[in-house]
Amino acid sequence: MDNSPVVAQADVSLSNSLLVSLTAKSDSQLQQKVGTDFDRAMMQRCLELARRALGRTSPNPLVGAVVVKDGEIVGEGFHPRAGEPHAEVFALKAAGANARGATVYVNLEPCNHYGRTPPCSEALIAAGVAKVVVGMVDPNPLVAGGGIARLRAVGIEVLVGVEEADCRKLNEGFIHRILYKRPLGILKYAMTLDGKIATTNGHSAWVTNQEARSVVHQMRAACDAVIVGGNTVRLDNPRLTSHQQEAHNPLRVVMSRSLNLPEEANLWQTKEAPTLVLTEVGANPIFREQLLKQGVEVVELSPLTPERAMAYLYERGFCSVLWECGGTLAASAIAQGAVQKVLAFIAPKIIGGSNAPTPVGDLGFTTMTEALSLESVQVRVVGADCLIEGYLPLRQ
Ligand SMILES: Nc1nc(O)c(N)c(N[C@@H]2O[C@H](COP(=O)(O)O)[C@@H](O)[C@H]2O)n1
Ligand SMILES: [Zn+2]
């Protein structure tokens, strides 16, 4: 009898965006279903609304809210950016008097503090809502259950944990930022089936197909910054934008100790998206001036390391940073704890070349037992390519 994984094979041929979990069960399968089908559908609507501000809310989270009265949506809203009102406030405003006695759905616990804006808990109480359905507790110590407690204290029914896995995934950068005081570092690379990211002479356009490259563009739209090293600028001359009209473009960051970079590069064109060059104190002052004249921001950090870069980007309010660098920088970023998540595109191509570059340089490991085993691994087929996504084990 043929015991091959027929389901996976069949699905792969049917869909080019199929998600196959390598683990026995995916996170959402493992998660107990909370709420009714209607509750879950409303929470998914909140997530959809929240995504409208993808890449634009940091250091704040992505939040959407829906007000439901007598089974009908009477108000919706999302948080557009830090400093502007929260999702709940927009949704309550849209609902107007209909908010009295209504149920409010929101993917993150309503806040209960005065930050840049007043507490949403008080706005919900003032609007006279009867019930609040929450996707996840806010990890922000200023909230951390306080919003839920405040609502319950005045007799508002609160249900927590509806579609929690999806809510956490959408705001994984925000959660990581709050818990670890660093942006979430995501290492993305594209390699051939034989593990090469370019040919021996550095040519890499393109390892993967258009579909995979479009997924990368979407990833960029969701991130606050994308980092490359000087070598990537010299060899690939990338644009690092999201390549979509309305979408957010991340801050494009180049790490270069020497500032020995090309005079002309797509990254020095800053009309479409901003560029920041991180360098060492005093490096190549003439070229530094040239960059500044073209509108490129230059910041000196000594010593210039991935950890220092992430600490700096945290201070700038970033939640997520995409590492699109070569193997040497990727290895230091991993070694210094600047990477938590890996997105590896694998193209079914073989290029060979014993000196062709690979995605991760030397980590100093000598035995296979030292290998970093990714967790919560998911495999997705994207066009003709494959995307493996997973998380590095948390460092103690
Ligand atoms: N529930 C909820 N909805 C939103 O739309 C939000 N932006 C948040 N954010 C929480 O409040 C903090 C930011 O407060 P300010 O915008 O500075 O007033 C943020 O860290 C989250 O904890 N929550
Ligand atoms: Zn709020």
Side-chain angles (χ1 to χ4, degrees), residues 185-197:
I186 305 165
L187 172 64
K188 171 254 137 188
Y189 56 81
M191 67 177 194
T192 59
L193 205 52
D194 55 334
K196 314 293 187 190
I197 58 171

Side-chain angles (χ1 to χ4, degrees), residues 86 88 110-111 117-120:
H86 289 180
E88 298 91 317
C111 68
T117 63
C120 291

Side-chain angles (χ1 to χ4, degrees), residues 59-64 78-89 106-111 113-118 120 138-140 142-143 174 178:
N60 277 3
L62 288 158
V63 187
F78 66 95
H79 180 53
R81 64 184 69 239
E84 297 214 17
H86 289 180
E88 298 91 317
V89 171
V106 59
N107 59 290
L108 185 69
E109 173 185 6
C111 68
H113 68 294
Y114 284 86
R116 277 162 284 230
T117 63
C120 291
D138 187 343
N140 182 351
L142 293 170
V143 187
F174 168 75
I178 291 277

Side-chain angles (χ1 to χ4, degrees), residues 32-363:
Q32 256 196 335
K33 282 190 174 159
V34 176
T36 62
D37 284 352
F38 182 78
D39 289 337
R40 289 193 289 277
M42 288 303 101
M43 194 55 74
Q44 289 297 339
R45 176 65 186 152
C46 291
L47 295 173
E48 216 174 285
L49 291 163
R51 277 187 209 104
R52 290 191 187 168
L54 211 57
R56 300 180 209 269
T57 58
S58 294
N60 277 3
L62 288 158
V63 187
V66 172
V67 184
V68 174
K69 184 84 169 278
D70 303 324
E72 300 287 334
I73 295 179
V74 293
E76 290 186 334
F78 66 95
H79 180 53
R81 64 184 69 239
E84 297 214 17
H86 289 180
E88 298 91 317
V89 171
F90 281 108
L92 287 174
K93 197 169 172 216
N98 280 328
R100 189 153 297 278
T103 297
V104 174
Y105 292 84
V106 59
N107 59 290
L108 185 69
E109 173 185 6
C111 68
N112 191 41
H113 68 294
Y114 284 86
R116 277 162 284 230
T117 63
C120 291
S121 52
E122 299 308 327
L124 291 161
I125 295 166
V129 308
K131 182 172 174 181
V132 178
V133 179
V134 173
M136 60 172 282
V137 174
D138 187 343
N140 182 351
L142 293 170
V143 187
I148 293 165
R150 173 74 183 125
L151 297 173
R152 285 185 175 147
V154 297
I156 295 175
E157 185 187 344
V158 185
L159 175 64
V160 184
V162 174
E163 298 292 71
E164 184 171 354
D166 288 352
C167 294
R168 298 187 79 82
K169 180 100 185 202
L170 182 70
N171 274 313
E172 62 181 0
F174 168 75
I175 297 170
H176 187 86
R177 174 183 168 82
I178 291 277
L179 295 182
Y180 301 99
K181 304 213 175 311
R182 288 288 179 274
L184 180 77
I186 305 165
L187 172 64
K188 171 254 137 188
Y189 56 81
M191 67 177 194
T192 59
L193 205 52
D194 55 334
K196 314 293 187 190
I197 58 171
T199 62
T200 307
N201 65 11
H203 188 255
S204 64
W206 300 102
V207 174
T208 51
N209 282 298
Q210 185 56 52
E211 287 98 324
R213 300 206 305 274
S214 297
V215 171
V216 172
H217 298 157
Q218 288 161 28
M219 287 167 182
R220 288 180 190 155
C223 284
D224 297 314
V226 46
I227 303 191
V228 293
N231 223 19
T232 301
V233 182
R234 285 185 286 270
L235 285 172
D236 299 348
N237 190 18
R239 280 170 64 199
L240 304 178
T241 57
S242 55
H243 294 250
Q244 299 155 64
Q245 282 270 295
E246 299 296 316
H248 155 83
N249 276 315
L251 175 68
R252 303 168 308 172
V253 181
V254 180
M255 281 179 69
S256 168
R257 288 204 184 101
S258 61
L259 275 194
N260 173 20
L261 296 166
E263 303 261 317
E264 304 286 330
N266 287 325
L267 291 180
W268 313 153
Q269 306 299 319
T270 54
K271 276 204 184 94
E272 198 181 355
T275 302
L276 162 70
V277 174
L278 295 177
T279 189
E280 295 264 356
V281 175
N284 200 344
I286 296 169
F287 188 66
R288 181 175 179 275
E289 276 312 303
Q290 226 171 289
L291 287 175
L292 290 172
K293 274 197 197 122
Q294 292 180 82
V296 174
E297 195 184 348
V298 181
V299 168
E300 296 176 326
L301 301 173
S302 285
L304 180 62
T305 60
E307 158 52 14
R308 188 86 171 76
M310 290 298 262
Y312 173 75
L313 296 174
Y314 171 78
E315 295 304 331
R316 279 180 76 138
F318 291 1
C319 289
S320 55
V321 169
L322 194 60
W323 290 86
E324 288 202 45
C325 52
T328 308
L329 187 51
S332 342
I334 291 173
Q336 292 179 25
V339 173
Q340 287 73 42
K341 181 174 178 178
V342 177
L343 297 167
F345 288 90
I346 303 170
K349 294 176 183 172
I350 292 174
I351 190 70
S354 36
N355 291 321
T358 59
V360 180
D362 192 10
L363 288 170

